[in-house]
């Protein structure tokens, strides 16, 4: 009996060591065992080794005794059962709909993020576990419903490895479930929602589109803007994921803000630009915005089997998101145009006042916002 306990203890320690080594090998040298809001799944036979760094802010308030929004080691120990149950309920690793058996489960407050001797709590909790299935999982699926309140705590990048296959999923509250190692069609479908969410959740990209769309009316012009923008950013996304080009975020992000200012100033010129000129500007700026889009999936480390499906799905999602946005603008613009005509021609208050056009109003606002973003993104410090 004692021999069995010793063997069980050795197996547990070996399993814990394997998980720690997995986390260390899966990430570059850093102060943390696992970067925040990231994780790895490593499939070995019928077992899945899991390492996740999840936001402490997503846990019940009862575990935060001092109310500082962080998780100290003492709080982790005192509320271990509550935290364990909460994570077990909100993080699910399954083979399709079939749950596996959790052979190992360990929590850590990720003390590496604190200075030696510090008693401050951690912003994230590190989860290490092994999930065993009866057979090798054919439809490995991860579902997460544990998010913080800050924007940085509402996206989880999970890299899964099975032999020489590597696939990465970007989970968000709206896209909280992902099936790994599916067919290219399934992967492309999953990245359609990722691309659509990325464009609709990117205020700088949407402001750029708005500034271009208000420059002229007409369904043909709007479709031309969206298509040109898609072709341009699709080109740079593809070249980036293929490893042919690379641009640091410190250069890309300020340039995206600068493109908004440039387009807004183009709209404010006394001499209007031709549609062909505007589309050329859209294409050039689209190349820059594509580098920003690529940054969202450029670090995924997808292999050759999944790269094409990822690119196609992500670009298609961005295109659908753009069409949704422009369609909504068209509907709003029609109503706003009617109200504008009433205010400027029928109202005794505004009838004799030369009001700026909606194009000028939007362009002035876009120029100011874009300039603010440009200053905020410049690496001045």
């Amino acid at each position: 009996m004692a021999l069995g306990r010793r063997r069980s203890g050795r197996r547990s320690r070996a399993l814990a060591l394997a998980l720690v080594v997995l986390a260390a090998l899966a990430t570059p040298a850093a102060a943390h065992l696992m970067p925040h809001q990231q994780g790895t799944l490593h499939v070995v036979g019928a077992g899945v080794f899991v390492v996740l760094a999840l936001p402490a802010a997503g846990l019940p308030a009862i575990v935060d005794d001092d109310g500082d929004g962080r998780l100290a080691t003492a709080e982790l120990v005192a509320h271990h059962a509550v935290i364990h149950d909460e994570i077990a309920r909100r993080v699910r690793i399954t083979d399709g709909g079939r749950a596996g058996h959790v052979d190992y489960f360990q929590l850590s407050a990720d003390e590496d993020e604190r200075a030696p001797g510090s008693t401050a709590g951690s912003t994230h909790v590190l989860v290490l576990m092994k999930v065993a299935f009866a057979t090798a999982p054919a439809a490995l699926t991860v579902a997460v419903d544990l998010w913080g309140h800050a924007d940085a705590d509402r996206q989880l990048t999970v890299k899964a490895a099975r032999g020489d296959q590597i696939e990465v999923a970007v989970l968000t509250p709206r896209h909280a479930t992902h099936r790994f190692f599916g067919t290219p069609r399934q992967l492309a479908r999953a990245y359609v929602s990722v691309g659509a969410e990325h464009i609709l959740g990117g205020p700088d990209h949407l402001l750029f589109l708005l500034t271009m769309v208000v420059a002229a009316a007409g369904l043909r012009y709007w479709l031309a803007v969206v298509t040109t923008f898609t072709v341009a950013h699709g080109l740079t996304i593809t070249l980036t994921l293929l490893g042919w080009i690379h641009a640091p975020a410190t250069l890309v992000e300020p340039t995206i803000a600068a493109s908004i200012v440039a387009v807004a100033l183009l709209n404010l010129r006394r001499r209007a630009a031709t549609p062909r000129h505007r589309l050329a500007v859209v294409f050039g700026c689209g190349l820059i915005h594509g580098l920003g889009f690529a940054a969202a999936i450029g670090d995924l480390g997808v292999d050759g089997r999944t790269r094409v499906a990822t690119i196609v799905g992500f670009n298609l999602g961005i295109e659908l998101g753009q069409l949704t946005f422009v369609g909504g603008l068209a509907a709003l613009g029609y109503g706003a145009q009617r109200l504008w005509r009433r205010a400027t021609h029928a109202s005794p208050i505004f009838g004799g006042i030369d009001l700026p056009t909606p194009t000028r109003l939007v362009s002035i606002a876009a120029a100011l916002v874009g300039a603010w973003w440009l200053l905020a993104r410049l690496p001045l410090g």
Side-chain angles (χ1 to χ4, degrees):
M1 190 71 172
L3 179 59
R5 285 195 298 270
R6 285 197 298 272
R7 288 178 176 173
S8 177
R10 285 197 295 269
R11 283 196 297 269
S12 296
R13 288 191 294 272
L15 181 56
L17 179 61
L19 286 166
V20 170
V21 171
L22 172 63
L25 292 177
T27 60
H32 309 285
L33 184 62
M34 172 64 68
H36 297 160
Q37 297 304 121
Q38 293 192 25
T40 61
L41 305 178
H42 190 62
V43 183
V44 180
V48 181
F49 295 85
V50 183
V51 183
L52 300 172
L54 302 173
L59 298 172
I62 192 176
V63 306
D64 188 9
D65 294 329
D66 54 11
D68 64 351
R70 303 172 73 92
L71 185 66
T73 301
E75 293 170 331
L76 177 63
V77 173
H79 303 288
H80 188 278
V82 174
I83 298 173
H84 176 282
D85 293 345
E86 191 73 9
I87 292 177
R89 181 175 65 86
R90 299 170 69 179
V91 177
R92 297 172 297 281
I93 310 295
T94 61
D95 181 13
R98 181 167 56 98
H101 179 267
V102 179
D103 284 349
Y104 180 83
F105 194 105
Q106 180 176 324
L107 302 174
S108 169
D110 192 9
E111 297 191 18
D112 287 344
E113 78 167 48
R114 304 194 291 270
S118 172
T119 58
S122 172
T123 57
H124 284 67
V125 57
L126 187 68
V127 182
L128 301 95
M129 61 179 169
K130 179 192 174 186
V131 181
F133 297 93
T135 58
L140 179 63
T141 304
V142 59
V144 177
D145 183 28
L146 199 157
W147 311 101
H149 309 297
D151 290 341
D153 292 340
R154 300 183 68 77
Q155 177 174 301
L156 177 66
T157 302
V158 182
K159 178 182 289 186
R162 183 177 64 182
D164 59 353
Q165 290 180 293
I166 297 176
E167 183 179 325
V168 177
V170 180
L171 303 181
T172 65
R174 294 182 180 179
H175 177 68
T177 302
H178 183 81
R179 174 182 170 178
F180 289 96
F181 310 122
T183 65
R185 179 179 296 180
Q186 291 170 331
L187 183 62
R189 188 184 304 123
Y191 269 93
V192 166
S193 62
V194 174
E197 183 176 338
H198 188 76
I199 181 67
L200 294 176
D204 47 1
H205 304 301
L206 294 181
L207 183 57
F208 174 81
L209 278 174
L210 173 61
T211 310
M212 288 303 308
V213 166
V214 298
L219 181 61
R220 183 177 178 180
Y221 169 75
W222 291 340
L223 288 177
V225 167
V226 171
T227 302
T228 302
F229 189 55
T230 298
V231 171
H233 69 61
L235 178 61
T236 46
I237 288 175
T238 302
L239 294 178
T240 301
L241 290 183
L242 291 175
W244 293 358
I245 61 174
H246 173 73
T250 53
L251 176 63
V252 173
E253 292 303 319
T255 308
I256 289 176
S259 71
I260 297 172
V261 177
V263 170
L265 295 179
L266 179 66
N267 290 349
L268 294 173
R269 290 177 56 191
R270 291 185 177 274
R271 184 178 179 180
T274 64
R276 181 175 297 180
H277 184 198
R278 290 188 180 280
L279 292 180
V281 173
V282 170
F283 185 83
C285 293
L287 295 175
I288 298 170
H289 283 248
L291 295 173
F293 289 130
I297 57 174
D299 296 329
L300 299 187
V302 291
D303 61 18
R305 187 186 67 88
T306 61
R307 185 180 288 119
V308 173
T310 299
I311 294 172
V312 172
F314 191 72
N315 276 304
L316 180 58
I318 292 177
E319 176 78 353
L320 292 175
Q322 290 173 162
L323 291 173
T324 300
F325 178 68
V326 172
L329 284 179
L332 290 174
Y334 177 75
Q337 187 178 41
R338 297 188 63 181
L339 292 175
W340 187 266
R341 288 175 178 172
R342 288 183 181 180
T344 55
H345 298 292
S347 172
I349 298 177
F350 299 110
I353 301 176
D354 185 16
L355 294 175
T357 64
T359 298
R360 293 189 66 83
L361 286 175
V362 171
S363 299
I364 291 171
L368 293 174
V369 174
W372 173 261
W373 283 341
L374 176 60
L375 292 175
R377 295 176 180 183
L378 286 174
L380 301 177

